[in-house]
Amino acid sequence: MTTSTPFARRDFLRLTGLGAATLLTGGGLAGLLSGCSPVQGATLPVSDRTGGAASTPGAEVDIALKATRGEVSILPGQATRVWTYQAEVSKGDPASVQNLPDSYLGPIIRVRKGQTVRVRFTNDLTEPSIVHWHGLHLPEDMDGHPRFAIAPGQTYTYEFRVADRAGTYWFHPHRHGRTAFQAYHGLAGLLLVSDDEETAASLPAGEYDVPLVIQDRTFDANNQLVYLPGGMMDQMMGFLGERILVNGQPDFTLPVATRSYRLRLLNGSNSRIYKLGWADGTPLTVIATDGGLLEKPVMRDYVVVSPGERIELWADFSGRPVGTELTLKSLSFSGAESGMMGGGMMGGGMMMGGGNALPNGAEFDVLRVRVERAATGSQPLPERLSTVQRYRAEEAINRDRPRVFGIAMTNMMAWTINGRTFEMEGVAAEEIVKLNSLEAWEFDNLTESMDVMAHPMHVHGVQFQVVERQVRPALAAGWETVRAGYVDEGWKDTVLLMPGERVKILLKFADYTGLYLYHCHNLEHEDQGLMRNYRVEA
Ligand code: C2O
Ligand code: CU
Ligand code: CU
């Protein structure tokens, strides 16, 4: 591994004679110093700049985070070359960062609501990158928009107060056109926020609070990662790996005691959708979604988790004899991709290069739980977990005319939202919203024949509520195989739209004006431009 200069930004400031007090935000500083215009697309070189927050001495936690290359042992035999995040706490509670030494996955960052956090991100890769804090409510220049991507060797300083409720958030790269590639090679990590309300719920903690990041990867004969073996068709559909990894490990087994656990699941896959259920049919107890705890636990026979989404389960193994093994499966479902994009003519491998050994909707094992020891003092499941204030559709300023964002593929084979593809700084009139307003949006998966695919839609900067789902009758059959696994009771930042599905959400743009993204979290779709900006105006 190469060594980086974690304090590049400080040196830079000293060299340029700029004091911290005169430091502007990333874009402002770049403009000031280089006079360069903003990056317009993934193919253009990123300006050689260093940016980020004005440096104030106040941050309670100061973390040096680096994206770099490395090697980890994943399969027996040769080590796998990966890209990975590494972090170090330079100030504050050392437990704010938990590195995972045997995994390519980034460190787990743990913060508390209200805490001020500084993250000095250094790009030690061979190409531009930027870090996005998925799910957090942040000022625009702290959100990791691709226009802030930094060149190799540069540092971007994030500084913010954690405003979000307790929950399972995460971070990953967001360089336009390269997000999928960079995340696939290992750049992703969890960011866990805690708060007083969560503490009061007294959920299983410490070793009984288990993060589980689910991803799929394909390896070659030398244990190296294979990406998009089928070329363009793979990319249109999204990458689907042949092996399921949990926390970066294959054939993952979780050893447990006979007591209750909090399982925090993140679907960190590029494109794969999971329909999770216990093999023995035991129902799942869901306690949280993307934006933290539900008001009360809900039961599901299975849960559907699309790329970017999080689901937290409360799992009680206290009735299970030591020696019991349980399997968490992804159950079969249909319709996530069909027509030309899936099982049809081109899906059988004819035009797809290698084809997909494990298509979306196939049934497979995700992980095993082995009850290894007896334990007492298990927490009971709380009846009430938190307060979730539900928005009311009547209160939306556009209640009679929701904004509709239709997702479709053009005959030029480009993914679009209302006919447009991503533009780095472009915002259409219908993408401008007002600060502090509650709005109704509808995402509509306008599937026709060429483009029958699911799209997990994600909005940056906010948590929203899902209030309505509909499906076109012609595509209802696939939808029926997943719909009972949607958990729309809590706060969401990513919502799955099956082919032909239309979803209404309510969302409020508080505190910050500026340019934010909304996009499909199928990372290959995102990179192909199934992403747009919206702008919050005062
Ligand atoms: Cu996790 Cu813009 O994404
Ligand atoms: Cu995000
Ligand atoms: Cu998509």
Side-chain angles (χ1 to χ4, degrees), residues 237 407 415 453-457 520-523 525-526 530:
M237 296 183 59
I407 300 142
W415 290 112
M453 281 214 69
H455 302 289
M457 294 303 294
C520 179
H521 220 286
N522 174 319
L523 295 183
H525 291 181
E526 174 188 334
L530 215 179

Side-chain angles (χ1 to χ4, degrees), residues 206-230:
E207 63 173 303
Y208 308 118
D209 173 357
V210 184
L212 297 166
V213 180
I214 306 172
Q215 296 171 309
D216 55 342
R217 296 290 184 263
T218 296
F219 297 88
D220 68 15
N222 299 315
N223 292 348
Q224 302 309 307
L225 290 167
V226 176
Y227 184 60
L228 295 181

Side-chain angles (χ1 to χ4, degrees), residues 397-428:
I397 56 161
N398 60 341
R399 61 187 168 275
D400 302 320
R401 245 181 124 249
R403 280 173 210 267
V404 179
F405 297 107
I407 300 142
M409 179 181 269
T410 66
N411 49 16
M412 298 300 290
M413 305 282 277
W415 290 112
T416 57
I417 302 176
N418 285 357
R420 298 180 192 91
T421 184
F422 181 61
E423 303 162 85
M424 190 59 80
E425 316 228 354
V427 186

